[in-house]
Each structure stands twice: as C-alpha cells, then as structure tokens.
Amino acid sequence: MKNELITEIEQAMLKRLDNAGLQALHQVLINVFKNVIITSITATDNEMTNDNILSEFLSAKRIEGCSEKSLNYYCKTITAAMDGIDKNFKHITTDDLRAYLTDYQTEKKSSKVTMDNIRRILSSFFSWLEDEDYIIKSPVRRIHKVKTSKTIKETYTDENLELMRDNCENLRDLAIIDMLASTGMRVGEMVLLNRNDIDFNERECVVIGKGDKERMVYFDARTKLHLQNYLASRTDSDPALFVSLRSPYKRLTIGAIELRLREMGRKLGISKVHPHKFRRTLATMAIDKGMPIEQLQRLLGHQRIDTTLQYAMVKQSNVKLAHRKYIG
C-alpha cells in the first residue's frame, strides 16, 4: 500500500520535477512513510474501477472504427493483464507490466509476435489513459517493441495453383480458388459477398474490409467464367455468393473454406494450404511484376504501407537477374 501511495504522489509530480527532483522526492517519501502504518479503504463510487475504465476505452475504440473482432481481442488481452497484475490501473507500474509479460511468456510459451501484440495493445490502452488525463504517464513507454525474426513466408507456385484447379471436384471450389487467387481478398471478406455484389462486365466487386471499410477488388477473365459457370449450376435461391453443396444451402463460413482447402492440400501433397496464402501469393506476384507498392496497398486494403511490404516477398531468382542487369 505504501508503494502504491508513493507511486501516485510521484506520478502527480512528474510534470513539475526533473529527474534529480523526482529522485529526491522518492527518498523523502520513503523516509517519511518508513514508520507510518497505512490502511486501505474501500473505493468510493466515484473512483473508476478497471472494468469501468476498460469499458470507456472500448467505447472510444468502437467510435474510431475498430471491428468487434478487434474489440474482443483488446478486451480479453487487457482484462487478462489487469487480473494478472491485480491492481487498479492508476497504480500499475512499468515493473508490474514487465513481470506480467515475463510470467505470461514463460507460462504460455508464447511467440515473440504474440508478446509484441500484447505489448502493443497495452501500450494503446495506457496511452489512451494518459491522453484522457486518467494517469500522468503511460507505464508502457519504457517497454520497447519486441524484436521478431523476419521469416520469408511461403507462397503458392504456379504449379501449385494449377494442380489445385485441375483437382477441384466441383464448380464451387474451382470458383473459390480463382476468386482468392485473382483478387487477393481476405477470406472473411469473401464469405460476406452476395451474388448481386459481382459486376461481371467490369470484373470487379466491392468488399467490406477491416474496420468496415469498403474497397474495390478485381478478378481476371478465368475467374469470371468459373464464377458464372458455378452460379448457373445452382438451384437454390440463397443470396450468398458461395454456399454449401448440399441442402439446406447456407452461406459458407470462414472455417468451412479453411477446412476444404486443408483437405485439398493433404490430398495433393501441397504444404500449408490456407486462404491467406493466396493473398500473400498475389502480393508477391504483383511486386515481382513491377506493380507500384502504393497501388498494391490500396488493392489489399492495408492502412499502413509497412503491412503491404511484409506481404510482398520478392523472388530470389529475380534478385539474381536484377544484380546481373544493374551490377554484374
């Protein structure tokens, strides 16, 4: 209790004292409270609890346009941290957060990417508290970004794509593969599409991306033909673009498409077949053929260009050719 009180006093004086003054204040407080017994009292109704403040934070994020999926992730991550540290948000220190992150990684065996995601969410939360004047200074400021190793993620080869197309057992699966491969859309965007969303004349459609943002995506002539053949073969009246193969025909879910692709990959001996790999393949191919990164960013619906660059892995063979052209 003494340490929490000292921390609160020091936070209140942060803007008024330099480092030397804060160190002196800290020593004075330690000496003054040395022989003092401090008893905690129940928080008044006016004092903000962790649940109250988290609710306000999530409301602010919702207004900013965060999706419900992102909000749920924020809520779970912050709640777990608050419960793990077991302090009111005003009294949480940098050391508390470092100890929590260390214990979490040890217990869960989490990757560096996961740990940095947690750090990033906590940083967003405490920065908001600072901006809203609930705290003087965010305790996450001194917790730096977790360095992660950059690995070149796999993409599909042309042979992989043709093998999948040749071995589709029905028109629907063929249309799904072509739709993912030619548009680079997220699988979550594709399952929301309806038949009347498709403009066959212009070979384009509008999808709803992250943050409920609309953007235009485009498909090639082969995808157009396979989509038209699939839709012409259907006997149901469901408005969804892709539905189950058997009655009652229902809109396909993300999980259903992921399962279908995994089964196809196992059957054909292609490793790690999943929807997102089509997106990464398209990005790599586009960069490889000289598409400006800003245009690819808009096509993929990325808010930050750094995200687009992470998707686009230039083929090593082209690096070799470029070296010979410009240097060797």
Side-chain angles (χ1 to χ4, degrees):
M1 189 63 191
K2 287 182 185 179
N3 290 335
E4 292 178 1
L5 186 57
I6 289 172
T7 299
E8 190 167 348
I9 293 171
E10 288 174 342
Q11 283 186 332
M13 297 301 292
L14 277 175
K15 293 183 178 181
R16 294 174 173 82
L17 298 175
D18 57 18
N19 288 335
L22 284 170
Q23 287 177 347
L25 174 63
H26 180 77
Q27 195 56 50
V28 169
L29 292 172
I30 293 293
N31 293 334
V32 168
F33 289 120
K34 185 175 182 180
N35 298 314
V36 175
I37 298 174
I38 299 176
T39 305
S40 62
I41 58 174
T42 304
T44 64
D45 292 338
N46 295 333
E47 189 172 342
M48 294 292 286
T49 65
N50 288 348
D51 289 341
N52 295 142
I53 205 68
L54 176 57
S55 179
E56 283 197 12
F57 170 73
L58 294 175
S59 295
K61 284 294 179 183
R62 185 174 284 107
I63 292 171
E64 290 175 12
C66 279
S67 67
E68 289 303 315
K69 184 178 179 181
S70 295
L71 291 172
N72 288 334
Y73 187 38
Y74 275 118
C75 185
K76 289 179 181 178
T77 302
I78 296 169
T79 299
M82 297 298 103
D83 291 345
I85 296 171
D86 196 23
K87 284 185 178 180
N88 183 273
F89 67 90
K90 288 185 177 180
H91 303 301
I92 291 176
T93 65
T94 301
D95 288 341
D96 291 329
L97 290 169
R98 282 180 177 147
Y100 169 75
L101 292 172
T102 301
D103 292 343
Y104 186 97
Q105 187 172 33
T106 302
E107 180 184 344
K108 305 285 187 181
K109 309 295 182 186
S110 300
S111 67
K112 290 182 178 180
V113 173
T114 299
M115 296 311 301
D116 195 58
N117 284 338
I118 295 173
R119 180 207 60 82
R120 179 175 50 80
I121 289 172
L122 292 175
S123 178
S124 176
F125 175 60
F126 281 100
S127 293
W128 177 82
L129 290 175
E130 182 180 331
D131 292 341
E132 296 293 319
D133 295 325
Y134 286 114
I135 59 175
I136 302 299
K137 183 179 179 182
S138 167
V140 191
R141 281 193 185 187
R142 290 188 288 128
I143 301 177
H144 301 298
K145 186 181 187 300
V146 180
K147 292 183 179 179
T148 57
S149 57
K150 293 183 179 179
T151 57
I152 297 178
K153 296 183 178 180
E154 293 181 14
T155 57
Y156 296 119
T157 63
D158 292 340
E159 290 79 5
N160 290 155
L161 293 173
E162 288 306 317
L163 191 61
M164 283 188 276
R165 290 186 179 104
D166 291 343
N167 286 275
C168 284
E169 297 175 354
N170 55 74
L171 294 173
R172 185 203 64 183
D173 290 356
L174 180 57
I176 285 175
I177 286 174
D178 276 330
M179 197 67 170
L180 290 170
S182 67
T183 63
M185 69 172 66
R186 302 176 180 94
V187 64
E189 297 166 345
M190 188 175 73
V191 297
L192 295 177
L193 286 173
N194 291 324
R195 303 189 206 202
N196 57 12
D197 292 328
I198 307 298
D199 184 340
F200 284 107
N201 290 328
E202 297 297 327
R203 300 209 307 261
E204 64 186 27
C205 59
V206 176
V207 296
I208 309 298
K210 289 186 176 180
D212 293 330
K213 294 177 182 176
E214 291 187 356
R215 78 175 189 285
M216 191 73 71
V217 297
Y218 310 93
F219 49 90
D220 57 20
R222 172 162 51 183
T223 303
K224 173 183 175 178
L225 292 174
H226 291 162
L227 264 178
Q228 287 177 326
N229 290 339
Y230 162 62
L231 292 175
S233 71
R234 282 173 54 178
T235 57
D236 65 278
S237 58
D238 195 291
L241 181 62
F242 294 111
V243 296
S244 55
L245 294 174
R246 296 181 180 84
S247 181
Y249 302 102
K250 292 184 178 180
R251 182 184 298 271
L252 281 183
T253 63
I254 294 174
I257 293 176
E258 289 175 340
L259 178 60
R260 193 74 171 178
L261 290 175
R262 276 199 304 272
E263 290 175 347
M264 182 182 292
R266 280 195 296 268
K267 178 183 175 183
L268 299 176
I270 303 173
S271 65
K272 300 178 182 177
V273 175
H274 57 86
H276 207 74
K277 198 170 177 179
F278 289 94
R279 184 170 165 84
R280 191 160 55 242
T281 300
L282 178 133
T284 303
M285 180 183 67
I287 288 291
D288 210 40
K289 292 185 176 180
M291 186 176 192
I293 192 68
E294 295 83 5
Q295 293 179 17
L296 179 59
Q297 177 190 8
R298 182 177 289 272
L299 182 66
L300 296 177
H302 290 151
Q303 189 171 358
R304 297 174 63 247
I305 202 164
D306 291 350
T307 308
T308 311
L309 288 169
Q310 290 174 9
Y311 279 73
M313 301 296 181
V314 180
K315 291 180 182 176
Q316 190 62 37
S317 59
N318 282 6
V319 175
K320 182 178 180 180
L321 290 173
H323 181 273
R324 288 178 177 175
K325 179 179 179 181
Y326 296 108
I327 301 172

